[in-house]
Structure formats: structure tokens, C-alpha cells
Amino acid sequence: MKTSAKENNESLKEFFKKININLVELPDWSCCGSSSAHCVDSELAHDLATRNLAIAPPDKPLLVSCPSCTLRLKQAHLHTLHDPELQNRFHEKWGVPFNPNLKIVHYFELLKDIDFHSLSKEIKKPLNGLKFVPYYGCMLARPPEMRHAENYHNLLESILTSLGATALDWGSGSRCCGTFLSVAKPDAITPIVNEIIQNGIDTGADCLITACSMCQLNLEIRCNLKQQIPTLHFSEVLSLAMGTNKYKRWFPRHLVDPTPLLTRLGLID
Amino acid sequence: MKSCDTNFAKEVMALSKTTLTRCFSCMTCSSGCQFQHIMDVKPHAIIRMVQTGFREEALQASGPWLCVGCNTCSTNCPNAIDIPAVMDAVRQIAIKENRRIPEPNVNNFHNAVLNSIKRYGRTHKLEIMMRYKLVQRDLFSDMDIGLRMLAKRKLDLRASKVKELPEVKKLFNKAS
């Protein structure tokens, strides 16, 4: 998110600033291991994730915005919580005891408690006229050991419609974007991505809105349809509604230009 | 008749911490899998092979290598089996035993990512792509996308590094 999806990172911080929540980057964070670590070495994946838990301030929630990082960190925490041996391993490796009370939260968990209707003064640019399909990718799917935790189906739709946008129903919102196969098997991923985008177009949407940076990138780089619609980061749209003027740094970074659409709707100048 | 490895199920269950004996082969996992059409052996069949001890067949299959761990299958599984964890386990056994890897490009990509994490503690996407392409001996495919991403400043030229890098590096040394 610091590089390939800088626009997501910046717009998320901008949005939280607008609603008076100050996000501080975890100093010296390291990669959670991503898909590659657990694919080839589960122990390494666990340790890469726990380093971040060890350096997190014990008294503050660790807010994560990447769905995949969230899963890796939460799972490592859950496994350690239920296994005294892993707690010893944690202490030995990182020199601090495992903190069973550390709160790891995806930013959805913060948003769900915000009453957007009461924020009407903050909403400088209602999203009126924006017809979108929500694209969650795999972010709402979880391993069975976490299936009873709270879930966030419909969060994109409910928040964005309360900000004036129109959510359309479709069937591709939870279809995986292909993650690393987009690099390793691009020919297999293009038809899948094309079908997702085409379904969005056929539904009548102006754009897809996603909360995952990797999904956003894969949908943009692997789609080769003649007619395409842009995929916006959820955070960009939230910031736009709050009347941000920082968007000039974000939208030029998209491979499928969303500015004609956003200009037409009067959301940007 | 092929000989079956009766310990295989135990081996995979210990590694994956999943009770895959619960599987009754309803095929919900495979029918919901976005990538099953490119797998030679699909998720439900991998589980069946593990249950019944078809060790060789499971370790040679492309299915586990094409599983991205999106958890669609495990969310849908009526028996709450962590299917991606089973795929992880089968793949990791194949790596440990130096098996021929049915999808070398997938493995090369994972190695490129992990090397980057080992080197910087974070992923440096440009270098990952360059090294992956070098290993694949395929420098020119996706060149257009790479250049567009560079132009859009989606690929930083310099890597962002973790300060306490030895902490991350030692995880890899132990692993190897």
C-alpha cells in the first residue's frame, strides 16, 4: 500500500483525518509474509506475522487496512492465544511476552460504528448519481476457525448509499481476483477479471468499488476488454464525499482513468 | 492396484491442523473455486487423495499450487474444513521432498517474494518482478504493464527497508 497503492494509503489517512481519527504508522513494520510465506512455509508465515504483533504498542489497537494482512495477523494472534508453546516461541523470538489483549482491527470494524447520517455536516460532496457495484473479492471469506467472528457483508453498500451513492446488486462481488496468479498465470486470470468487469458493466454500474488494493490492481492490469469501467478504492470515494482536495495525487495513478466519470458527477473539479 | 500410504492423512492433518476426515466429498469446494478449471486435480479430489492415501498423486498435482488461499471453499464447506490449509500442507510436503513442481512459475514467484522479504523485511515489487522474470527467462511479457505501472509511479525504484533487518533475516536462516 505504500507503493503500488499509495493512493489507497493516502486517501484512507485523509478520510480518517476528516473524521478526526489520527492514524499513526506502526514504526518499523515488516511484511506479514503475504500469500507466499504460508504457501511454502507455515512456520515462517507465522513468525513474520508475529513480529508485527510484538512491536505493536500494547495499549493501542493495531488498525490494518489490507484484508490479507488483517487475516494473517489475526490468525497468528489466534493461534498463539490458544497454544502455550507458541506463546513461548513468541517470547523467545521477540523478547516481549505475547499480548493476549492486543486488538487487531480492520478499518471496517471502525467504520461500522460510525453513523454516517449524523455526519451530514462533514459530507461536503454527496455521492449522488454514482452507480457502483461493491467488490469485496475474498476479503469477507475466512478460514473455519474464524467463521463465528463478526462479518461485514453489505458494509460498502450501506455506507456509500448513506453518502448518496447507488449500490447495484450483482453476483461477482465476492469472486477472487486471482491474487498472485495474476503474475504467475496471467492468461488464466484475464478471462476471470474480464468476466467480473463485464458483469459490472452489464449490471449498469459506472464503476467497481473495492476495499482491497491488490484486487484493485489485478482488476486494472489484467482486464483487456475494449470497454472498461474504473475500479475505485473505497477510501478514495469516502474522502471525496468528505470534500477532500487531495485527489489530484490519487487518480492519475489509476490505469483505468476514473476522472471523466467523477468530473461528470461533479465529485471532482 | 496402487499401493496407498495409510499414514498420509495423519501426516497432512498434523501439518494442516485440520480434521479432513470429516470430508464427505460433496464437491462444494471445487464447484465454488474460481480456479478449479485450471487445476488437474481439484480441491475435493485432493482431499479424497489425502484421505485414501494416494500420496504420490496428491504431491504431483497442480491443484495445491493453483490454490491462492482465498478461503471461498473453506467458507462454503459444510464440514468446516480449512481446505487452503490442506493445500498448504500438501504443497509444503512436495517442497520438502524436492518433488518436481507442477507449476514452477508459481513457486518462482513465491521465492521471489520471500527473497525480497528476506532482503528488506518488506516487498520491493519492482525487484520481485525483475527477478521473477529473470528466473522465468521471460523478460518481455508484461513489459507494457510494467512500464505503465512505472509511469504511474506504482513501482518504487528504491526498496523500503526494515530498520531491524536482522530480526527478519534470522527467521529465514532458521527456516532453511
Side-chain angles (χ1 to χ4, degrees), chain A residues 110-158:
Chain A
L110 236 81
L111 294 187
K112 75 164 174 27
D113 294 325
I114 297 173
D115 177 10
F116 280 84
H117 291 289
S118 72
L119 280 176
S120 54
K121 252 190 267 165
E122 266 78 28
I123 302 165
K124 307 276 191 266
K125 293 223 163 149
L127 305 171
N128 296 341
L130 181 69
K131 284 187 289 175
F132 74 99
V133 279
Y135 183 75
Y136 293 96
C138 71
M139 75 174 289
L140 301 177
R142 293 177 302 199
E145 63 190 353
M146 293 163 80
R147 62 165 55 168
H148 297 299
E150 196 176 345
N151 213 329
Y152 301 95
H153 292 281
N154 202 41
L155 186 117
L156 281 172
E157 297 92 307
S158 60

Side-chain angles (χ1 to χ4, degrees), chain B residues 3-138:
Chain B
S3 62
C4 293
D5 183 336
T6 47
N7 281 321
F8 190 38
K10 279 184 205 149
E11 184 185 356
V12 174
M13 283 199 282
L15 259 176
S16 64
K17 301 181 179 68
T18 289
T19 318
L20 55 87
T21 44
R22 284 199 296 245
C23 172
F24 50 41
S25 230
C26 68
M27 300 192 199
T28 301
C29 51
S30 297
S31 51
C33 175
Q34 183 88 306
F35 313 104
Q36 54 83 22
H37 62 289
I38 53 169
M39 296 176 175
D40 53 5
V41 182
K42 303 181 196 315
H44 76 277
I46 292 284
I47 304 246
R48 203 69 171 150
M49 283 177 172
V50 176
Q51 282 180 332
T52 49
F54 282 78
R55 196 173 193 279
E56 288 304 310
E57 289 77 358
L59 294 182
Q60 286 166 19
S62 75
W65 292 91
L66 297 169
C67 165
V68 302
C70 73
N71 282 312
T72 305
C73 55
S74 47
T75 301
N76 294 342
C77 176
N79 292 312
I81 296 168
D82 190 339
I83 298 152
V86 175
M87 298 294 174
D88 281 352
V90 172
R91 196 186 312 110
Q92 289 175 19
I93 294 171
I95 294 172
K96 209 169 163 189
E97 295 182 359
N98 280 321
R99 300 288 181 134
R100 191 190 67 82
I101 289 171
E103 291 288 342
N105 39 357
V106 173
N107 194 40
N108 291 340
F109 177 74
H110 291 324
N111 287 332
V113 172
L114 292 177
N115 280 329
S116 182
I117 301 175
K118 188 177 175 183
R119 208 171 292 124
Y120 306 114
R122 296 177 181 171
T123 54
H124 182 218
K125 317 254 177 347
L126 181 62
E127 192 178 309
I128 290 172
M129 289 312 296
M130 302 288 273
R131 285 182 190 266
Y132 169 73
K133 293 278 172 202
L134 273 173
V135 173
Q136 294 283 104
R137 295 169 190 249
D138 163 29

